[in-house]
Amino acid sequence: MVAVADTVSLELDDIQSGALHERPSPYVGTYVLLRIDDRASGRELVRRLHPVVDSGRPSADPARDAWVTVAFTYQGLKALGVPRDSLESFAPEFREGMAARAAELGDVGESSPANWETPLGSPDVHVALAALSPDAPRLEAVVERARRARQELPGVEVIWRQDCYQLPTGRTSFGFKDGIGQPAVEGTGISGSNPGEPPIKAGEFILGYPDETGSLPPMPTPGVLGRNGTYIVFRKLHTRVAAYRRYLREKAATREEEALLGAKMVGRWQSGAPLALCSESDDPELGADPHRNNDFVYRDDLRGFKCPAGAHARRANPRDALDEDGSVNVRLHRMIRRGTSYGPMLPEGVLEDDGADRGIIFVFAGAHPKRQFEFVKTQWLNDGIFIGAPAEKDPLVGPNDGSGKFTIPQRPVRRRLQNVPPFVVTRGGEYCFVPGLRALRWLAELET
Amino acid sequence: MAASETTTARPGVSVGPTSEFSLFFHVKPGHGDDLREALRTLQNHPGYRPGEYGMAVATIHEARFVLFDDDTRLLFATSFDGPWDSYMEDFFTSGPTLALFDAVFQHVEGYEGLPDVAAVKAFVLSAQATAAAYARNYGGTVKEIRKAERVNKAFQRVLDDPAAGEGLQHPALKPLLDEASD
């Protein structure tokens, strides 16, 4: 077995900063998708985007600036004329595309690609740009830089734009502070949010470095294209906030019980305070404290009296809860998440749907789309086999069909919620590759 | 190695949450006795000793190692909760399984000198053959079965109490009363 050095030297100057960068809070952002109709124009776009993309060690002060990340779908790399043997060296899931993975991912029924928002899931999606900034003026400036990159390039079309934001409270449409749990990545200097979790090997997130198995992750060829790249997965997820609120209202006798049921489903209170640390009532001070709000494990709560085994956050990262199983290495299934909100928030207290499209843009970054994103999605969120409850799915984001169950351990008698409806509908998404900066230049200079 | 069977991963057959997993290996020439001894040692390990029910991997229902064809071939067969191909890297990077498999696999062809987990995974998958028929007599995962055993044990203790008949008369307990008669 290949020995893994304790420390690795990451080529941070070659890694797009969006991959590892902690975001400012709050922020505003824009996602743009483009189609390349003409290969030469596509390469010229990449050439012009190169200086727009930031790299380097993520700033200690994330509010410093705005930045752009550029990513390509498999169809996009094809449109740029990447040679066949190189295309075939990419991860199979990336090559298939998210629409082709729909059945596996639980994107069925209303969430199936047939119902996705145009052009998501179609072969027209070639380039994805993400621009993020602490405020609107700085975002506009950076979007303008990206826009200029596309000027007078008739062979490149903008086919989709989605604005997004994070509220100053960090809360998403369901009302919960999100994005608290992030792994520390070895060699980046970015500390994780859970002091109990040693930094994850860089190769779990950036291609070209040893990963948690002690090996180099499968890397696209040639090396100049794959090295310092990462895969991202983005999903536009519509949240049925009114239906969610009505469901809780129906199941709860009081507002306090409503808040408790909501917290049991998520694993955290709305403030972000984890049930593992305060299971009786919300503690906003704890929720707001980045040094404490992710500093916990589950070993003292294996039966889930504080935080149910089926709660969303515990499913997505079971920490030490499965250590006794002997079949799971949680460090192989960690994700960098860069989720964000879109659409207007449903005003507090409103129980009727206002017809507005709102939700989250889920973004994953990692070197292993299958054993990270797809594993977490299919084994932990969409299924309950791993917690001994095959009939239960994630109560918040699982593909429930109205027959879902959710068990809340409590004394003397456990509570079981029945007929959990779907609260999240997939509007579309895609697997993308975020090349390093040298790789961007290689793409711009292709001569096929 | 059952080379004709393959190099590509196949998911095996599932019944409910559980899937079958069978591996066929060629024993290294002259290693038959050593392998038998390694398996005897395994059989005397905690979790594998007769009467014990606590294997290192808590998500498999049972496991068997069968030497056949005059100890020139080895079968490993098990039933696992979940799709086993999703967990292959986990098995080969987590302590208990790694040590256990290493002690056995060193006596089969093709195992030595594998450079990384991907190669180990490929080696294992190349030995895998999907069942042509597979059935189960209960639907639960190991976790559910263990829970069911605990619950039944508790129920039997309740029934051992002379007051059980009276206590189970409440309408809410009717399903339990129905199970109390034998």
Side-chain angles (χ1 to χ4, degrees), chain A residues 1-2 212-213 215 322 324-330 332-333 370-371 375 379-380 385-390, chain B residues 17 56-59 80-83 86-87 89-91 93-94 96-97 114-117 120 141 143-144:
Chain A
M1 212 132 302
V2 177
E212 286 287 331
T213 71
S215 317
L322 305 174
E324 296 303 307
D325 286 6
S327 55
V328 179
N329 178 355
V330 290
L332 301 183
H333 311 294
K370 184 176 170 70
R371 77 160 158 78
F375 180 96
Q379 303 307 309
W380 287 349
I385 291 175
F386 79 110
I387 51 170
Chain B
V57 176
T59 51
F80 174 72
D81 290 332
S86 296
Y87 286 89
E89 283 94 347
D90 296 67
F91 288 146
T93 57
S94 71
T97 323
L114 297 172
D116 52 32
V117 169
V120 174
T141 60
K143 285 182 182 180
E144 289 172 287

Side-chain angles (χ1 to χ4, degrees), chain A residues 307-361:
Chain A
C307 178
H312 171 66
R314 185 162 170 168
R315 283 172 173 268
N317 179 14
R319 300 173 192 237
D320 58 346
L322 305 174
D323 283 2
E324 296 303 307
D325 286 6
S327 55
V328 179
N329 178 355
V330 290
R331 295 172 66 80
L332 301 183
H333 311 294
R334 299 291 284 124
M335 311 194 289
I336 289 178
R337 295 173 302 133
R338 302 285 183 226
T340 185
S341 296
Y342 75 88
M345 292 291 163
L346 188 66
E348 211 165 317
V350 173
L351 296 177
E352 289 307 313
D353 187 24
D354 60 358
D357 190 13
R358 62 172 58 83
I360 55 174
I361 306 289

Side-chain angles (χ1 to χ4, degrees), chain A residues 31-51:
Chain A
Y31 295 98
V32 175
L33 298 177
L34 304 107
R35 185 186 66 227
I36 298 168
D37 295 322
D38 170 68
R39 185 169 290 181
S41 298
R43 290 171 181 173
E44 177 61 16
L45 173 77
V46 178
R47 195 187 65 77
R48 293 184 193 174
L49 283 172
H50 187 274

